[in-house]
Amino acid sequence: MLLNPAGERVPNPEYEPFVADVTGDQLASLYEDLVVVRRLDIEATALQRQGELALWPPLLGQEAAQVGSARTLRPDDFVFSSYRENAVAYCRGVELPDLLRVWRGTAQSGWNPYEVGMATPSIVIGAQTLHAMGYAVGCLRDGVDSVAVAYFGDGATSEGDVNEAMIFAASFRAPVIFFCQNNQWAISEPVGLQAQRPIAERAPGFGIPSIRVDGNDVLAVMAATRQALERARAGEGPTFIEAVTYRMGPHTTSDDPSRYIDPLQREEWAAKDPLARVEAHLRDTGVLTDELAEAIAGRADEIAARFRKGCVDLADPRPLDVFDHVYAEPHRGIARQRSQYAAYLASIGEAQSEGEQR
């Protein structure tokens, strides 16, 4: 921990050097990121409740873990995430409407991964860790010092994919960071059910050094990630980071956490809010004034308004678009299914508005 819940700097000789260059203004910029991504998360939740999205996976409470790690990456690093890393996507430069395409049902994917250095989210739990490990081995073969980062939750650590990825990564000394956001819940199951010991203690068993960090402390997360990046770029292989945080909202908007979360536990974690501690520190040091706080809130509202407009302006897909991009090359099976579905639509008087007879 480098910044405690009261906003006080905590001396830490090992990790302090990794964030010694972060000025007050830069910390204020990180604070703005935290405010903006929380505002976007609230807006997306509202859009789902209003019927504009089919589903949304909130990140409320996990902002520091995502912003603190994502802001340390270089453009040529590559991210493989699950479905909750919307703040990471924002930091990587994903366009606002692209964050919502899948959840609105207008596309099967959200963005071009090569434009932002981030694959589209994996819904399959833990599968992205294998993708990241493979990408990292590719970086080794190419002789570049780019790093792959796999984001996943505590629940994913029970999946075979995650364990297999760590075995391969250790074997090849792959430049990959396994970034686990331990938000205390695998949907409705508490982390203690699947992890009798801290999750970070598992990685050394694979030969991978690990760091357990306060995931609600944006500076500590940044320091831990920079240390892991430094190791990877120096050819020292993978690192496992367990960012201990708390999911303040539901697993998704289809979930009701009041059925399984103790409200007293939630209150305890609310006192460790990742935004509040940065705000307290910036105000104590005189960096954050009322005027600056108001300006940041205004920018967050403006971005949220563009986010909403981008969502409702997304064009509906044509019925036959579902057959596009299944294979890179023409495929007779897909062509047959497409033709049959087109004939069915025609039989009931529906047709694609244009280009349906391709």
Side-chain angles (χ1 to χ4, degrees):
M1 179 186 294
L2 292 171
L3 199 61
N4 70 20
E8 300 163 338
R9 287 296 292 263
V10 178
N12 189 315
E14 182 177 1
Y15 289 102
E16 189 73 36
F18 287 100
V19 291
D21 62 321
V22 178
T23 66
D25 288 343
Q26 289 170 331
L27 185 56
S29 178
L30 287 171
Y31 172 70
E32 178 171 329
D33 283 337
L34 298 175
V35 171
V36 168
V37 298
R38 176 167 292 187
R39 182 69 182 83
L40 291 177
D41 194 59
I42 292 170
E43 193 67 29
T45 301
L47 284 164
Q48 195 282 324
R49 297 306 189 206
Q50 294 161 1
E52 299 291 350
L53 299 177
L55 190 72
W56 180 251
L59 59 81
L60 184 63
Q62 299 180 221
E63 296 88 349
Q66 297 191 21
V67 170
S69 54
R71 283 303 186 199
T72 66
L73 305 180
R74 295 191 324 211
D76 61 320
D77 295 328
F78 209 97
V79 170
F80 297 84
S81 76
S82 72
Y83 42 78
R84 201 182 303 282
E85 280 71 44
N86 296 300
V88 176
Y90 172 79
C91 291
R92 295 298 282 173
V94 172
E95 296 291 334
L96 294 176
D98 290 345
L99 287 169
L100 300 171
R101 292 182 187 278
V102 168
W103 307 113
R104 191 169 169 82
T106 61
Q108 295 169 317
S109 184
W111 56 82
N112 183 340
Y114 299 107
E115 291 180 351
V116 295
M118 179 173 180
T120 51
S122 170
I123 302 297
V124 179
I125 304 299
Q128 72 276 18
T129 57
L130 288 167
H131 307 158
M133 185 282 300
Y135 187 94
V137 172
C139 291
L140 282 178
R141 299 287 174 86
D142 289 344
V144 298
D145 68 348
S146 305
V147 177
V149 184
Y151 286 88
F152 51 94
D154 47 285
T157 61
S158 291
E159 293 287 342
D161 287 7
V162 176
N163 295 271
E164 292 161 12
M166 288 199 286
I167 291 170
F168 272 88
S171 300
F172 289 96
R173 295 176 68 84
V176 56
I177 298 174
F178 295 103
F179 194 96
C180 173
Q181 291 177 83
N182 176 3
N183 68 11
Q184 312 297 318
W185 295 97
I187 305 184
S188 58
E189 298 293 350
V191 66
L193 188 64
Q194 61 170 322
Q196 306 301 311
R197 301 285 301 166
I199 294 173
E201 292 185 7
R202 296 182 186 178
F206 293 94
I208 298 175
S210 65
I211 306 168
R212 197 166 199 248
V213 64
D214 183 341
N216 283 9
D217 178 353
V218 71
L219 278 181
V221 171
M222 177 171 279
T225 309
R226 282 180 168 179
Q227 185 186 50
L229 288 168
E230 188 175 281
R231 288 192 69 257
R233 298 196 205 286
E236 297 176 18
T239 300
F240 187 101
I241 297 175
E242 179 189 2
V244 182
T245 181
Y246 193 79
R247 194 193 76 207
M248 297 296 293
H251 173 67
T252 69
T253 47
S254 65
D255 175 38
D256 177 9
S258 68
R259 299 178 63 181
Y260 57 85
I261 286 183
D262 181 346
L264 293 178
Q265 182 191 54
R266 191 181 185 284
E267 287 182 19
E268 178 185 339
W269 277 92
K272 304 174 186 176
D273 188 287
L275 276 69
R277 67 177 69 184
V278 180
E279 180 176 350
H281 178 76
L282 290 172
R283 286 193 179 278
D284 286 346
T285 54
V287 175
L288 187 66
T289 61
D290 289 342
E291 291 75 17
L292 180 56
E294 185 177 346
I296 289 173
R299 281 196 287 275
D301 286 342
E302 184 273 329
I303 294 171
R306 286 195 282 117
F307 190 51
R308 170 175 285 272
K309 184 176 188 309
C311 174
V312 297
D313 286 349
L314 286 172
D316 290 339
R318 297 171 302 174
L320 297 184
D321 288 351
V322 70
F323 297 100
D324 293 342
H325 311 301
V326 178
Y327 290 93
E329 303 292 334
H331 187 283
R332 286 185 299 174
I334 292 295
R336 183 172 61 252
Q337 290 177 36
R338 192 179 198 283
S339 175
Q340 291 171 343
Y341 190 50
Y344 166 73
L345 292 175
S347 72
I348 59 174
E350 293 188 17
Q352 197 159 256
S353 60
E354 57 180 300
E356 68 178 78
Q357 299 302 324
R358 287 179 289 174

